[in-house]
Amino acid sequence: MSRHTPSMSVMVAAARKAARGLQRDFGEVENLQVSMKGPANFVTAADKKAEKVIFQELSKARPGYGFLMEEGGVVEGADKSHRWIIDPLDGTTNFLHGIPMFSISIGLEREGQIVAGLVYNPISDEMFIAEKGQGAFLNDRRIRVAVRRELAQAVVGTGIPHIGRPGHQRFSAELGAVMNEVAGVRRMGSAALDLAWVAAGRLDAYWEANLAAWDVAAGIILVREAGGFVTDLNGRDAMLDTGGILAGNEALHRQLGDVLKKAHKPA
């Protein structure tokens, strides 16, 4: 633990504190499956509670830093150069259904650049962290992106738009193109964890559209510090603005990008 900078220590402490509540609440979810409305309201409350804990902890440790949060939106800080980007519960649908694949995601932005990121799965107790220039770690063990260089051997993560979300046709075209090229496609249900898993070499690559900044901020630096490449779906460094993301090692990032581009060309 001595390797953590003071900022990372603050982030880890905030995530662990919020995780205790989420672990308790996750244990309760199964008892609430009696009514349709009960669990959904409960999960919203769990989400807000976790965000409040993280907000309080980070505010106490770094007074003046700004915030961009899923639930609480933008909170301007006196210190204009630093901003926390937080998703207190990424994977709410999984949480609601008792699927133990969700995460707390905290990113730290300095002068518009992400300089530190943390993704934590409270159920598996897997803490992924990265700081600019320091490498990426899973529970204090150094992690690297996978070394596979052929899409035909690759397992690729994605997100599937559900009811009420845009991009169904676009995704169907992309999936049709990708599944012909790869060893497997996986949909985990938490974008932050998908990116952390790319950093750890579990997924070889990952793509998704229509994400929010708090879904991806921490994951971006995790992948980069693990030796990977991350861009938006147009190959630019505008993930937080466009909401699209493409991640993998250098070879697979390029190859998957090519397949996705072809998917949108008129036949």
Side-chain angles (χ1 to χ4, degrees):
M1 297 296 272
S2 57
R3 184 179 53 244
H4 293 175
T5 62
S7 286
M8 183 53 75
S9 297
V10 162
M11 291 162 73
V12 167
R16 287 203 182 279
K17 190 163 184 185
R20 287 199 286 276
L22 287 179
Q23 283 161 332
R24 261 196 318 273
D25 292 340
F26 186 67
E28 280 298 305
V29 163
E30 277 131 333
N31 307 332
L32 287 168
Q33 297 298 355
V34 284
S35 79
M36 280 308 286
K37 210 163 175 202
N41 290 350
F42 181 79
V43 172
T44 305
D47 205 341
K48 287 186 170 149
K49 204 161 54 179
E51 186 171 279
K52 193 175 170 194
V53 169
I54 296 166
F55 177 75
Q56 285 171 340
E57 289 296 302
L58 296 180
S59 300
K60 204 162 58 188
R62 294 286 182 273
Y65 282 22
F67 285 84
L68 171 62
M69 299 176 285
E70 187 189 20
E71 298 298 329
V74 173
V75 177
E76 294 288 348
D79 177 340
K80 299 297 177 212
S81 59
H82 288 90
R83 181 168 75 151
W84 300 109
I85 304 178
I86 297 161
D87 192 340
L89 176 49
D90 186 48
T92 45
T93 304
N94 282 350
F95 189 95
L96 174 63
H97 286 259
I99 299 169
M101 289 284 298
F102 56 88
S103 59
I104 293 168
S105 174
I106 305 173
L108 175 59
E109 206 178 48
R110 180 179 299 130
E111 306 289 356
Q113 292 292 310
I114 300 158
V115 293
L118 166 159
V119 174
Y120 182 50
N121 179 342
I123 304 307
S124 63
D125 190 28
E126 289 187 321
M127 177 81 72
F128 300 86
I129 63 164
E131 294 181 85
K132 201 169 171 58
Q134 304 293 311
F137 297 84
L138 163 53
N139 293 350
D140 290 339
R141 183 174 55 79
R142 187 80 185 251
I143 52 175
R144 299 282 302 168
V145 291
V147 294
R148 289 178 199 90
R149 303 189 65 76
E150 304 292 329
L151 270 183
Q153 274 95 53
V155 171
V156 174
T158 190
I160 304 172
H162 50 77
I163 187 170
R165 295 278 292 182
H168 288 229
Q169 269 182 303
R170 177 193 168 109
F171 177 77
S172 296
E174 290 175 350
L175 182 61
V178 172
M179 66 192 192
N180 283 319
E181 305 283 345
V182 300
V185 180
R186 301 286 181 269
R187 199 290 188 255
M188 304 296 180
S190 164
L193 274 183
D194 284 328
L195 287 163
W197 281 32
V198 170
R202 294 173 180 176
L203 292 171
D204 295 290
Y206 161 72
W207 93 97
E208 191 167 349
N210 301 308
L211 291 164
W214 47 79
D215 296 320
V216 296
I220 288 167
I221 191 163
L222 277 167
V223 172
R224 286 185 172 157
E225 288 295 321
F229 281 63
V230 191
T231 63
D232 67 11
L233 294 170
N234 301 310
R236 294 198 304 263
D237 188 15
M239 295 77 68
L240 300 189
D241 304 320
T242 65
I245 198 152
L246 174 60
N249 65 27
E250 186 177 8
L252 293 182
H253 178 275
R254 189 180 60 249
Q255 291 170 41
L256 183 56
D258 290 343
V259 172
L260 293 171
K261 268 195 212 87
K262 271 195 213 117
H264 301 300
K265 282 205 176 112

